[in-house]
Amino acid sequence: MRPTAPDPADTDKWNAYLAEGNAKQARKRVAADVLLRDPSGRVLLVNPTYKPGWDLPGGMAEANEPPEDTVRRELVEELGLRVTLLGLLVVDWVAPHGPWDDQLAFIFDGGTLDEDQADRLRPRDDELSEAAFVTTAEAPGRLRDRTRRRFEHALKALDAGRPLYLRDGAPLMGATVPHPSCAQCGSPTA
């Protein structure tokens, strides 16, 4: 039998009751990355030291940290870079895989760096071995599969001027932008 809820006017008991319910709810891991370009339209990729393959700049959120703050923090920590985010490009629900529970992965638009910023960009901590601007055609070959799908849809969202919701890298709701490999991933092409 479910306990009787206390009177909300008794704020201590009410907050304790809500905290008990909150503790029983699922927690999501949250990743937040950013799409940054140089003046020639190339995109920034980083090479993490703790996993294979290249990645978009960004990382995992800390407890109770908003995703946009995660991106800003990671850019400063790893690259010494401060940018103004221009908007959300992708939210991807990533299914459990291997030892990992599900997660929400965000990609934000970080805009275009000026030439001086792009030229001075270097890894600032031991989590990255390299940072490089590559063409949008070259980037998918460097990215691991999950990140590659998310990256390709972030480019489509940027072109379309609206964010996309993905489920394991495939658009679900209101997918109006064709995906070049729909037969492979099963995403809609409405």
Side-chain angles (χ1 to χ4, degrees):
M1 183 169 177
R2 193 170 182 182
T4 304
D7 182 352
D10 184 341
T11 56
D12 288 341
K13 286 184 181 178
W14 180 249
N15 286 337
Y17 171 76
L18 293 177
E20 182 181 333
N22 182 55
K24 295 176 184 175
Q25 295 187 18
R27 301 277 186 216
K28 300 281 186 216
R29 292 179 312 121
V30 174
D33 294 335
V34 64
L35 185 65
L36 285 166
R37 286 141 345 256
D38 72 2
S40 64
R42 297 177 304 167
V43 295
L44 179 64
L45 298 183
V46 294
N47 193 358
T49 57
Y50 53 88
K51 65 181 180 179
W54 289 70
D55 209 342
L56 291 169
M60 298 303 293
E62 295 178 354
N64 300 314
E65 181 180 44
E68 67 277 12
D69 291 351
T70 299
V71 167
R72 289 185 191 106
R73 176 182 52 77
E74 291 283 349
L75 285 173
V76 169
E77 290 174 1
E78 295 179 349
L79 297 166
L81 184 62
R82 295 184 191 281
V83 300
T84 299
L85 299 177
L86 304 178
L88 176 66
L89 296 173
V90 166
V91 177
D92 187 11
W93 178 82
V94 180
H97 56 283
W100 302 107
D101 291 333
D102 67 335
Q103 81 175 30
L104 294 173
F106 296 79
I107 297 179
F108 293 93
D109 179 7
T112 301
L113 300 178
D114 64 42
E115 199 162 330
D116 185 52
Q117 285 178 306
D119 288 344
R120 289 185 293 118
L121 212 54
R122 302 284 180 276
R124 302 286 174 110
D125 70 13
D126 61 359
E127 288 188 15
L128 301 179
S129 63
E130 299 174 77
F133 285 96
V134 299
T135 66
T136 56
E138 182 185 353
R142 291 191 183 203
L143 299 170
R144 291 177 31 188
D145 190 49
R146 288 179 195 281
T147 306
R148 177 191 51 77
R149 290 191 313 259
R150 210 172 294 132
F151 166 76
E152 289 172 343
H153 287 297
L155 291 177
K156 292 177 188 323
L158 186 65
D159 288 343
R162 64 176 186 78
L164 286 173
Y165 171 71
L166 309 176
R167 181 173 175 172
D168 253 346
L172 285 182
M173 296 181 226
T176 58
V177 180
H179 182 281
S181 56
C182 294
Q184 292 175 1
C185 76
S187 67
T189 59

